[in-house]
């Protein structure tokens, strides 16, 4: 980013993006997904930067660009916190829980979603032995993402039997991945989602970049799954998982962590009506902006940040009076939705009786520790949330919260009776937004 600032005058950054789009229009009909992703990414950047000229104007010529980016992200979070929809309210949704076995499966899926980024990550989940099966590298152009497979020999979930194959798709890790992410125009997905509802075909559109990746990956992933089924006849369940943007007699499930929205309509209830579908969950950390990040939402966030600097909205005229007259920030209607029951993981502080000991901490009558509340929210409720934080999207944040959830589920009484040593998980480093 620093070299871009030195090479281009501040006000030419947006113009450069627009000219790149214009020069690339002649290639937009090309079947190369990488070219289409690049063109779409430039178009999306040009669109969003139309409302961020004031940011480019104030960029310094020196200093760490990472520090400047963090400054703007912090400012955005502070502006969002002025509105009630920036967090999940206590009366929103319904408290969600599951069996300890299901909780451990979700935790194992989360570990697999992290390990696909780094094969040297330690494997260790209470109650499970995870056996690595294979790993495929991504294509150089980013249209085929890296993925890995693991086997879990025993799955203590009611109604399940046999082994479970976990397929983890890697999310964003390269520049080309970012370009695929920005290729967010709706595209007909009828060839991929062949879904019937009450006997009628459901027409659905999807995020063009993610749809292109899925279409390119399906043949290879399907072949690898079939190979595993032939090699081990005890596999009865398949769990697809991933963090961020990553047959036969088997029951497929989908568990995602911090996934961006992908389909033009909510397909969760339609898919759950099928007896061949297992678990469908979209796990979201509270405040995670990526889980809301389709085009209209990002436009709403640009208007929000402009309001912090006293500038009028450029995308949503109804936001003009929100600065002074509204308790919630007006959001444009979403283009895409998450797939799976949406479960928001909300950290909050609880006063617990301390265990008497010699140190000063345990001498206090109570100690404040973070505990986890899982809340199931409807797609309609989720579409009203103003999540603007990036730190809660980190893989580490999801792993920490899944460990807390698994610990609480294994406690027979309640999460508040969990032993202090298990619950704290290092309170000095774990905070409400990370």
């Amino acid at each position: 980013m620093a070299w871009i600032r030195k090479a281009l005058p501040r006000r030419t950054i947006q113009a450069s993006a627009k000219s790149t789009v214009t020069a690339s229009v002649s290639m937009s009909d090309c079947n190369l997904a990488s070219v289409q992703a690049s063109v779409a990414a430039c178009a999306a950047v040009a669109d969003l930067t139309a409302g961020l000229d004031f940011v480019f104007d104030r960029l310094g010529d020196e200093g760490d660009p990472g520090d400047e980016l963090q400054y703007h992200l912090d400012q955005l979070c502070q502006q969002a916190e002025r509105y009630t929809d920036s967090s999940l309210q206590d009366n929103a949704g319904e408290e969600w829980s599951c069996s300890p076995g299901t909780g451990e499966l979700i935790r194992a899926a989360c570990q697999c979603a992290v390990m696909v980024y780094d094969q040297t990550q330690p494997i260790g989940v209470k109650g499970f032995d995870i056996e690595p099966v294979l790993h495929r590298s991504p294509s150089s152009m980013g249209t085929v993402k890296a993925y890995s497979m693991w086997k879990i020999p025993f799955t203590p979930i009611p109604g399940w039997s046999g082994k479970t194959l976990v397929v983890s798709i890697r999310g964003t890790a390269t520049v080309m991945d970012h370009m695929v992410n920005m290729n967010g125009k709706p595209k007909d997905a009828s060839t991929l989602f062949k879904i019937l509802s009450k006997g009628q075909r459901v027409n659905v559109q999807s995020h063009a970049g993610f749809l292109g990746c899925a279409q390119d990956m399906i043949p290879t992933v399907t072949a690898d799954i079939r190979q595993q089924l032939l090699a081990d006849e005890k596999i009865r369940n398949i769990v697809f998982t991933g963090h961020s943007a990553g047959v036969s007699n088997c029951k497929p499930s989908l568990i995602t962590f911090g996934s961006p929205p992908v389909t033009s309509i909510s397909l969760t209830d339609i898919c759950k009506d099928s007896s061949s579908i297992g678990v469908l969950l979209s796990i979201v950390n509270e405040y995670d902006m990526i889980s809301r990040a389709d085009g209209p939402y990002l436009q709403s966030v640009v208007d929000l940040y402009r309001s912090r600097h006293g500038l009028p909205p450029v995308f949503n005229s109804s936001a003009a009076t929100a600065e002074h007259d509204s308790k919630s920030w007006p959001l444009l209607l979403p283009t895409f939705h998450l797939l799976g029951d949406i479960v928001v993981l909300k950290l909050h502080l609880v006063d617990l009786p301390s265990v008497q000991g010699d140190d000063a901490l345990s001498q206090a009558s109570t100690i404040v520790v973070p505990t986890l509340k899982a809340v199931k929210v409807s797609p309609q409720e989720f579409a009203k949330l103003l999540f603007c934080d990036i730190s809660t999207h980190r893989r580490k944040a999801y792993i920490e919260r899944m460990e807390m959830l698994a610990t609480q589920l294994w406690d027979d009484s309640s999460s508040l009776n969990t032993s202090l040593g298990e619950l704290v998980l290092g309170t000095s480093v774990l905070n409400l937004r990370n």
Side-chain angles (χ1 to χ4, degrees):
M1 186 169 180
W3 67 268
I4 294 178
R5 292 208 311 265
K6 293 179 180 180
L8 296 174
R10 297 166 190 163
R11 280 206 173 266
T12 62
I13 295 178
Q14 180 186 344
S16 176
K18 288 183 177 179
S19 64
T20 301
V21 175
T22 303
S24 303
V25 166
S26 60
M27 295 189 297
S28 61
D29 293 331
C30 179
N31 289 327
L32 283 175
S34 58
V35 173
Q36 294 174 338
S38 300
V39 173
C42 290
V45 169
D47 183 37
L48 291 177
T49 54
L52 293 173
D53 277 351
F54 69 99
V55 173
F56 292 112
D57 285 343
R58 298 172 188 180
L59 284 177
D61 293 326
E62 303 296 336
D64 186 345
D67 292 341
E68 292 191 6
L69 174 60
Q70 189 59 54
Y71 167 80
H72 289 293
L73 291 174
D74 291 342
Q75 293 283 301
L76 175 63
C77 286
Q78 291 174 19
Q79 184 68 4
E81 288 170 356
R82 302 176 61 175
Y83 300 94
T84 56
D85 50 352
S86 65
S87 63
L88 190 67
Q89 300 301 298
D90 292 337
N91 60 351
E94 59 185 69
E95 191 163 355
W96 179 87
S97 186
C98 63
S99 69
T102 301
E104 289 296 345
L105 175 65
I106 298 172
R107 182 184 177 191
C110 189
Q111 279 204 330
C112 292
V114 170
M115 289 187 294
V116 71
Y117 289 84
D118 182 1
Q119 298 298 297
T120 65
Q121 287 278 342
I123 301 176
V125 179
K126 183 179 179 181
F128 289 93
D129 294 320
I130 302 179
E131 177 187 345
V133 175
L134 63 82
H135 175 75
R136 300 292 187 198
S137 299
S139 66
S140 58
M141 301 308 293
T143 55
V144 176
K145 292 183 177 290
Y147 65 93
S148 299
M149 295 184 183
W150 290 268
K151 280 194 297 186
I152 301 175
F154 175 62
T155 309
I157 294 181
W160 284 31
S161 62
K163 298 180 181 180
T164 297
L165 183 69
V166 180
V167 183
S168 178
I169 313 296
R170 194 182 75 180
T172 304
T174 67
V175 172
M176 286 306 303
D177 288 336
H178 284 289
M179 289 187 175
V180 169
N181 296 349
M182 294 298 290
N183 184 11
K185 289 186 176 181
K187 186 175 181 179
D188 178 45
S190 58
T191 57
L192 183 63
F193 296 101
K194 298 179 180 179
I195 299 174
L196 296 178
S197 178
K198 299 179 180 180
Q200 299 296 317
R201 182 74 173 266
V202 177
N203 294 321
V204 59
Q205 293 184 313
S206 183
H207 181 289
F210 300 149
L211 177 64
C213 282
Q215 291 171 329
D216 286 349
M217 293 182 66
I218 283 176
T220 304
V221 174
T222 301
D224 283 337
I225 290 175
R226 286 175 175 163
Q227 183 179 1
Q228 296 306 315
L229 298 181
L230 290 174
D232 191 341
E233 296 180 353
K234 294 183 179 180
I235 296 176
R236 291 291 181 269
N237 314 288
I238 302 175
V239 175
F240 293 90
T241 188
H243 169 267
S244 189
V247 189
S248 181
N249 58 344
C250 290
K251 176 175 287 191
S253 296
L254 176 69
I255 306 173
T256 62
F257 303 90
S259 168
V262 292
T263 56
S264 60
I265 60 175
S266 179
L267 298 175
T268 303
D269 290 339
I270 298 175
C271 292
K272 287 170 64 177
D273 286 342
S274 172
S275 59
S276 63
I277 300 296
V279 177
L280 277 180
L281 286 176
S282 183
I283 308 294
V284 175
N285 283 344
E286 187 181 28
Y287 310 117
D288 183 352
M289 184 165 68
I290 303 304
S291 65
R292 294 283 287 112
D294 64 358
Y297 183 77
L298 294 178
Q299 292 175 343
S300 298
V301 169
V302 169
D303 281 344
L304 172 69
Y305 197 46
R306 287 176 62 86
S307 73
R308 183 172 183 84
H309 295 270
L311 298 172
V314 294
F315 297 109
N316 186 6
S317 59
S318 64
T321 59
E323 174 72 11
H324 305 290
D325 302 335
S326 299
K327 293 183 178 179
S328 60
W329 183 257
L331 297 171
L332 296 169
L333 292 176
T335 299
F336 300 122
H337 301 270
L338 297 177
L339 179 57
D341 287 332
I342 303 171
V343 177
V344 178
L345 302 182
K346 182 180 179 69
L347 281 173
H348 58 106
L349 299 178
V350 176
D351 292 330
L352 292 182
S354 66
V355 179
Q356 295 300 315
D358 296 332
D359 60 302
L361 182 63
S362 62
Q363 289 296 326
S365 59
T366 61
I367 184 172
V368 178
V369 297
T371 188
L372 193 67
K373 181 180 180 182
V375 181
K376 179 183 174 182
V377 298
S378 68
Q380 294 76 21
E381 289 177 301
F382 192 70
K384 298 177 182 178
L385 292 172
L386 181 66
F387 287 174
C388 291
D389 190 48
I390 298 296
S391 64
T392 51
H393 183 67
R394 295 170 180 162
R395 298 188 293 274
K396 178 182 177 182
Y398 276 93
I399 281 289
E400 287 177 339
R401 296 194 189 190
M402 290 315 306
E403 289 177 346
M404 291 186 73
L405 179 64
T407 298
Q408 293 175 185
L409 290 171
W410 276 108
D411 181 20
D412 292 332
S413 301
S414 71
S415 61
L416 296 183
N417 291 328
T418 304
S419 66
L420 186 62
E422 291 179 315
L423 188 61
V424 170
L425 284 175
T427 56
S428 60
V429 297
L430 186 62
N431 59 60
L432 293 182
R433 280 189 178 269
N434 191 8

